[in-house]
Amino acid sequence: MSSLSRPVAAIWIPSHVDPIEPHLMVCLDHARRCRYDLLGIVTTAPWDEVRQMMIDGTVDVVVVAEREHLPPDRTPRIEVATRGARPSPASSRRGPVPPRRRPRQG
């Protein structure tokens, strides 16, 4: 993503969520407020496929309506290790952070 382009986002709503409409509206509103370019809405793919979209650089951001929609063992993830410190409860509730995009080999 260049500094002039807007981040590309995908909205992910897990397939078990029903009805999806209230969650979808929250996510669409968030994407609009953040000025993301919306790639699409994913409602049937498992988390692993959405994660791969981030790893591949297809999307910069995945928007979810509720923290509980994220799998607890999600990746990619970032952890900060400090000697003797334990993770705070707030830090363990954060969503996924997509990896940096790698320059494409031409």
Side-chain angles (χ1 to χ4, degrees), residues 6-23:
R6 298 189 311 188
V8 175
I11 293 172
W12 182 63
I13 300 173
S15 59
H16 70 273
V17 173
D18 185 42
I20 68 167
E21 290 79 9
H23 303 285

Side-chain angles (χ1 to χ4, degrees), residues 7-94:
V8 175
I11 293 172
W12 182 63
I13 300 173
S15 59
H16 70 273
V17 173
D18 185 42
I20 68 167
E21 290 79 9
H23 303 285
L24 179 58
M25 298 313 295
V26 167
C27 292
L28 287 169
D29 185 55
H30 178 81
R32 180 190 55 78
R33 282 184 285 120
C34 292
R35 300 179 47 105
Y36 293 148
D37 285 335
L38 186 61
L39 177 71
I41 301 161
V42 182
T43 60
T44 58
W47 175 254
D48 288 343
E49 290 181 32
V50 176
R51 177 181 60 89
Q52 192 61 48
M53 291 171 63
M54 289 188 290
I55 292 169
D56 293 344
T58 305
V59 297
D60 301 304
V61 179
V62 174
V63 178
V64 297
E66 296 182 16
R67 191 175 319 275
E68 291 77 25
H69 291 173
L70 292 171
D73 59 344
R74 65 191 174 270
T75 58
R77 59 191 281 179
I78 296 174
E79 295 182 357
V80 178
T82 55
R83 186 175 293 177
R86 295 186 182 198
S88 70
S91 68
S92 65
R93 291 190 308 260
R94 297 185 190 252

